[in-house]
Amino acid sequence: AQSVTQLDSHVSVSEGTPVLLRCNYSSSYSPSLFWYVQHPNKGLQLLLKYTSAATLVKGINGFEAEFKKSETSFHLTKPSAHMSDAAEYFCVVSTRPGYSTLTFGKGTMLLVSP
Amino acid sequence: EPEVTQTPSHQVTQMGQEVILRCVPISNHLYFYWYRQILGQKVEFLVSFYNNEISEKSEIFDDQFSVERPDGSNFTLKIRSTKLEDSAMYFCASSETEANVLTFGAGSRLTVL
């Protein structure tokens, strides 16, 4: 069965400093991996996706993630945090080839201080 | 940008009552989904729906749950007799094809007392 583990429930950074949100996955086949973000009272918004093409994936709002098969990781990074980045971030793996059934991580709350 | 719309945003109900959560998927999408997140736990898949029938469901989606597309725009999740453990945030999602990325709604928070 596919699964994802988000290693931190909360991450706190100062505005302008780098962001690192960690995710490890387990999959019996080559997975599709995603990062979703949820701002308060908003839906889950897709940040980026990995689907076996380039291992470094660029997403919206300056975020990127690198797929590392040897480490079974898909960490999310951003060089410089902005106050508007404060939200909950979910690492997600597709349960089977094709995207429809997704397995979510528990989420990481990103806190950004001035 | 097209959105998935969910109503109500928050519903409080008594245990044993029926609840219907409503969703308006993106108009040209053909696949519809419900997920839920119990407070402090992971977002979990409930059910997927295509061509007016359930295409996949999880163990959570028991006989207490049903889904329906009553008209050309709405997609509903019904819980027949709510239990305390049904309290959760319920997310609706839709996609154009099975292989497309899901677009999620903002969620409906259900509180069962």
Side-chain angles (χ1 to χ4, degrees), chain B residues 90-103:
Chain B
Y90 289 81
F91 292 104
C92 175
S94 67
S95 63
E96 196 170 343
T97 72
E98 192 175 26
N100 276 87
V101 174
L102 274 61
T103 301

Side-chain angles (χ1 to χ4, degrees), chain B residues 53-76:
Chain B
E53 60 183 29
I54 291 173
S55 48
E56 189 174 356
K57 62 181 180 179
S58 70
E59 293 175 352
I60 303 167
F61 195 87
D62 61 22
D63 291 343
Q64 292 283 74
F65 291 90
S66 62
V67 288
E68 192 178 33
R69 189 158 163 80
D71 52 43
S73 60
N74 288 285
F75 178 53
T76 61

Side-chain angles (χ1 to χ4, degrees), chain B residues 11-31:
Chain B
Q11 182 157 357
V12 181
T13 191
Q14 295 291 324
M15 192 169 52
Q17 294 296 305
E18 177 183 283
V19 161
I20 297 176
L21 304 179
R22 291 181 168 80
C23 171
V24 179
I26 293 174
S27 60
N28 65 332
H29 286 187
L30 301 176
Y31 291 79

